[in-house]
Amino acid sequence: MSALGPADDYRGSGLVLPEGFTFGSATASYQIEGAAAEDGRTPSIWDTFSRTPGKVWNGDTGDVACDHYHRTEEDLDLMVDLGLQAYRFSIAWPRIVPAAFGDVNRAGVDFYSRLVDGLLERGIRPVATLYHWDLPQYLEDAGGWTSRATTDAFERYAEIMGTALGDRVHTWTTLNEPWCSAYLGYGQGGHAPGRHEPASALSAVHHLNLAHGRAVQALRATSTGDPDYSVTLNFHVLRGQGDGAAEAMRRIDALANRAFTGPMLRGEYPADLLADTAAVTDWSFVHDGDLETVHQPIDVLGVNYYSTATVRLWDGVSEKQQNDGHKGADGGTAWPGSDQLVEFVEQPGPYTAMGWNIAPEGLEELLVSLSEQFPEQALMVTENGAAFDDEVAEDGSVPDPERTDYLRRHFTAAYRAIHRGVDLRGYFVWSLLDNFEWGYGYAKRFGIVRVDFDTLERTVKDSGHWYRNLVRTRTIEG
């Protein structure tokens, strides 16, 4: 057996990732910070959504979460203990601009300034995401991402943060997974704000794309350091079944992937996407000059990957399968224009606790495909990880061999992609901490560090110890 392992195994051993490859971990503000009503922060759409009965498992909210807001120093020291070279965090927009009249909340800015300084003091590169889903509720009340005015507000927010942190942030990321924000938030309804409006989902797609472009411009204009600029997309890696497999894959690829890479990286919406959705919307929310604004050069494209999806054309008679990997919501669709044509079929296991199939080959395939489509674009894995039902051992340790194996196999996939010529700059494990997993509340644990949600005690899991060794040696081992 070679050091790579069998092609269908991905359990590499002795594989050395290149010098300069960045090893990091990632979190998001609403999932870890807590302090939901402290120091001037006002509600986000996730505060509202999580308080709506039946929307989040067990009625959980992010009010306390991991209490990172009060435990920042402890968590920074934890990052040092793990050897992290970079930390990807997000900024809570309602901490920065808490009200519609637009005054800047200095306490909010100061919190992130202290966080960035704490990272730099410890030799950890700050990677700051402007938007990881916590839209201020007052903006949603005025239309949210269906309103062009939200892109105006986002541009101003970017200016504020560029001015405040642009001398020290290593990498700016405008948006995290706009697919989720648009389609799950405004179409399917399983994410905040929980709307079931297919046309609104597509309007949100465009306004998020436009917000990205305007934010890149604003950050460039205000950042006095030399940061990189990026966006993070969650790509759908598709498999097809049946006679119409190619058509089913094309339709979902247009909605899931090319609706964002088209305008952001090519300056155009794909013609087939517009045709597929013509019965849903006329796309009149796209104004002259918008696509030029969206199409901004970026230094790094962030890639989030967890699993694959298998699609086929629905026969219109049998019960339609909806195994797209996302927490269901009655009455909505994440696939406007194709929801009555395409179904997502169950995939073979093994699965994570989220019900997602484990397919490291999908990550290699995705990275190679993106490199072929956009050969000049550097890539970064900005999220990859797995939820499992961890148990604390009698000695207080947290053995999680399934997560360790998952990470080993996906880092091997990244190694393979690099050796096929992909310009992959680094890898951020999701997540640093067990946290509030959106619609699943605290029921799903993704962290390489366990959080006891009663005591808030942190315990490095065995996967965290494995990752520490990987960072130290740059060598993938079993």
Side-chain angles (χ1 to χ4, degrees), residues 81 136 224 254 371 411:
D81 177 61
T224 57
S371 180
F411 270 98

Side-chain angles (χ1 to χ4, degrees), residues 66-377:
C66 306
D67 198 32
H68 171 74
Y69 191 82
H70 297 117
R71 296 169 182 259
T72 306
E73 290 296 315
E74 175 185 355
D75 290 341
L76 287 167
D77 289 343
L78 194 58
M79 296 176 210
V80 172
D81 177 61
L82 291 168
L84 297 188
Q85 298 170 346
Y87 173 55
R88 177 175 176 250
F89 62 95
S90 78
I91 297 165
W93 191 352
R95 285 201 195 281
I96 306 303
V97 190
F101 49 77
D103 286 357
V104 177
N105 179 30
R106 184 49 52 189
V109 173
D110 288 348
F111 169 70
Y112 295 106
S113 186
R114 290 193 302 273
L115 174 62
V116 167
D117 286 345
L119 290 165
L120 293 173
E121 288 163 5
R122 291 164 174 83
I124 302 170
R125 296 193 283 278
V127 178
T129 301
L130 285 182
Y131 188 69
H132 199 133
W133 307 352
D134 40 5
L135 183 72
Q137 183 61 45
Y138 64 81
L139 286 173
E140 175 58 27
D141 293 342
W145 287 113
T146 69
S147 170
R148 197 174 183 88
T150 299
T151 68
D152 299 333
F154 192 69
E155 180 179 35
R156 179 165 180 274
Y157 164 51
E159 290 172 350
I160 293 164
M161 296 318 302
T163 301
L165 304 182
D167 57 336
R168 289 162 287 158
V169 162
H170 180 276
T171 302
W172 283 116
T173 301
T174 54
L175 306 172
N176 177 79
E177 299 186 348
W179 182 90
C180 295
S181 299
Y183 294 111
L184 298 184
Y186 291 86
Q188 187 242 29
H191 277 200
R195 289 159 65 172
H196 300 147
E197 304 163 11
S200 293
L202 295 168
S203 173
V205 165
H206 178 63
H207 291 128
L208 283 155
N209 282 331
L210 184 60
H212 157 74
R214 294 180 69 177
V216 170
Q217 292 176 321
L219 290 167
R220 286 190 189 279
T222 53
S223 295
T224 57
D226 188 26
D228 284 346
Y229 300 91
S230 70
V231 66
T232 281
L233 304 177
N234 58 310
F235 290 93
H236 286 61
V237 179
L238 301 171
R239 307 285 184 254
Q241 279 188 7
D243 293 341
E247 172 67 0
M249 292 170 67
R250 181 200 65 73
R251 281 181 164 272
I252 300 306
D253 179 53
L255 284 164
N257 301 327
R258 291 182 286 118
F260 301 99
T261 58
M264 288 182 180
L265 301 178
R266 301 193 192 282
E268 61 187 14
Y269 281 107
D272 62 328
L273 171 68
L274 303 182
D276 290 348
T277 57
V280 180
T281 179
D282 62 4
W283 291 81
S284 59
F285 41 75
V286 181
H287 295 186
D288 289 346
D290 281 1
L291 287 165
E292 289 81 0
T293 300
V294 176
H295 186 208
Q296 297 298 314
I298 55 174
D299 300 287
V300 180
L301 175 62
V303 177
N304 288 3
Y305 173 81
Y306 292 95
S307 64
T308 61
T310 300
V311 295
R312 69 183 176 205
L313 293 182
W314 182 43
D315 62 14
V317 178
S318 58
E319 184 176 354
K320 184 155 65 76
Q321 296 187 52
Q322 301 185 64
N323 298 285
D324 64 359
H326 304 288
K327 188 171 184 285
D330 293 336
T333 178
W335 308 105
S338 290
D339 56 306
Q340 295 302 307
L341 298 170
V342 178
E343 64 178 345
F344 288 76
V345 302
E346 185 175 352
Q347 302 185 105
Y351 309 103
T352 70
M354 297 290 288
W356 299 343
N357 69 311
I358 299 172
E361 69 279 5
L363 177 58
E364 178 183 1
E365 176 186 324
L366 171 61
L367 294 170
V368 171
S369 172
L370 289 170
S371 180
E372 291 172 349
Q373 292 177 65
F374 309 103
E376 304 304 315
Q377 184 64 66

